[in-house]
Amino acid sequence: MNIILFGPPGAGKGTQAKFLVKILDNFQVSTGDMLRDEIKKDTDIGKKIISYMNEGKFVEDEIVNSLMKKVVFDSSRKGKLIFDGYPRTIEQAKNLDLLLTESNQQIDFIFFLNVNKETIIKRIEKRKVEEKRGDDDLDTILKRYDTYLKTTSPVLDYYSSKQNFYKLNGNLEIDQINKQIRDFLKL
Ligand code: AMP
């Protein structure tokens, strides 16, 4: 089963992805984690993207799409993908459709974690203490939220009319959001 978790930064996509990985024996596909890994390993991509990421800006579609190609075409992960943080632009959504068609796959569920700005700020400030991420200070959070509104929220229109699109209340506690997802998945 392939699933997209969609929503603003701090919506809880990563947390829910980790639950689903356990329940379904699937793989989490976090472009944020993949990009942070490139920075940690100081690769050519890592050197190119570090300033973008620390400033809360999006990494170029071309880079993210090329990382994604490897994942979608990896036969050991076929039909077991939990997308967390991808797609984030219309270009990426179109690219994902193409990659899935070419690899004979589909998206089974799209979950939109709908969260308000106050909850996002609270959650990211907590995460800042726990994970010490370079892009979790208040200014950067607000920038990332603005980028989400401008660039990512149009992706909602791309998905929201699809039959397998489900809108969830992402302001609830982690367990309650998880229950909503399991109810839709009948797990
Ligand atoms: P995340 O861990 O998903 O919150 O992502 C952290 C940062 O990584 C974002 O603020 C972007 O700078 C970058 N990033 C992650 N996913 C994408 C994506 N799909 N497209 C562009 N940039 C991304």
Side-chain angles (χ1 to χ4, degrees), residues 172-184:
L172 301 175
E173 294 299 319
I174 291 172
D175 286 356
Q176 292 168 301
I177 302 171
N178 192 235
K179 181 164 183 334
Q180 295 177 75
I181 294 178
R182 277 182 296 149
D183 284 349
F184 283 123

Side-chain angles (χ1 to χ4, degrees), residues 31-32 35-36 53 57-59 64 85-86 88 92 133 135 144:
T31 37
L35 295 167
R36 278 185 288 276
M53 285 198 50
K57 291 182 192 154
F58 277 4
V59 172
V64 185
Y86 183 93
R88 259 170 152 116
Q92 293 178 15
R133 273 176 52 167
D135 60 349
R144 285 165 61 200

Side-chain angles (χ1 to χ4, degrees), residues 8-187:
K13 302 185 291 294
T15 307
Q16 297 304 329
K18 287 184 177 70
F19 274 118
L20 289 173
V21 163
K22 268 197 222 149
I23 298 174
L24 297 169
D25 192 27
N26 274 26
F27 296 90
Q28 180 181 5
V29 184
S30 159
T31 37
D33 284 349
M34 289 160 81
L35 295 167
R36 278 185 288 276
D37 204 43
E38 296 286 334
I39 293 175
K40 213 159 78 191
K41 290 184 183 147
D42 201 24
T43 62
D44 287 345
I45 291 181
K47 288 188 184 98
K48 205 167 161 187
I49 64 175
I50 188 164
S51 56
Y52 279 94
M53 285 198 50
N54 283 339
E55 284 169 29
K57 291 182 192 154
F58 277 4
V59 172
E60 288 164 44
D61 285 338
E62 207 183 31
I63 293 178
V64 185
N65 286 343
S66 75
L67 291 174
M68 199 47 57
K69 189 168 182 178
K70 285 185 205 145
V71 174
V72 176
F73 278 89
D74 175 353
S75 58
S76 67
R77 288 188 265 185
K78 189 170 176 179
K80 287 172 164 272
L81 302 169
I82 312 286
F83 293 96
D84 153 21
Y86 183 93
R88 259 170 152 116
T89 65
I90 293 285
E91 279 311 310
Q92 293 178 15
K94 288 183 181 163
N95 179 68
L96 181 60
D97 277 352
L98 206 70
L99 293 177
L100 290 168
T101 306
E102 283 173 2
S103 61
N104 217 356
Q105 299 185 68
Q106 62 183 31
I107 294 296
D108 300 293
F109 290 88
I110 303 158
F111 293 117
F112 169 42
L113 278 66
N114 192 24
V115 194
N116 63 40
K117 200 171 169 180
E118 291 70 39
T119 307
I120 291 170
I121 293 173
K122 245 195 280 167
R123 284 196 190 145
I124 298 193
E125 294 214 302
K126 186 164 168 260
R127 185 170 73 187
K128 181 185 173 185
V129 179
E130 289 166 357
E131 296 181 20
K132 298 183 178 62
R133 273 176 52 167
D135 60 349
D136 274 347
D137 65 278
L138 188 58
D139 264 6
T140 317
I141 296 166
L142 297 175
K143 238 185 257 166
R144 285 165 61 200
Y145 187 66
D146 269 359
T147 312
Y148 167 79
L149 288 181
K150 277 192 212 118
T151 316
T152 307
S153 65
V155 180
L156 256 190
D157 298 333
Y158 188 82
Y159 286 126
S160 59
S161 58
K162 299 206 190 280
Q163 266 196 335
N164 55 0
F165 175 89
Y166 300 89
K167 184 173 173 177
L168 311 177
N169 181 353
N171 295 304
L172 301 175
E173 294 299 319
I174 291 172
D175 286 356
Q176 292 168 301
I177 302 171
N178 192 235
K179 181 164 183 334
Q180 295 177 75
I181 294 178
R182 277 182 296 149
D183 284 349
F184 283 123
L185 296 177
K186 300 193 172 41
L187 286 171

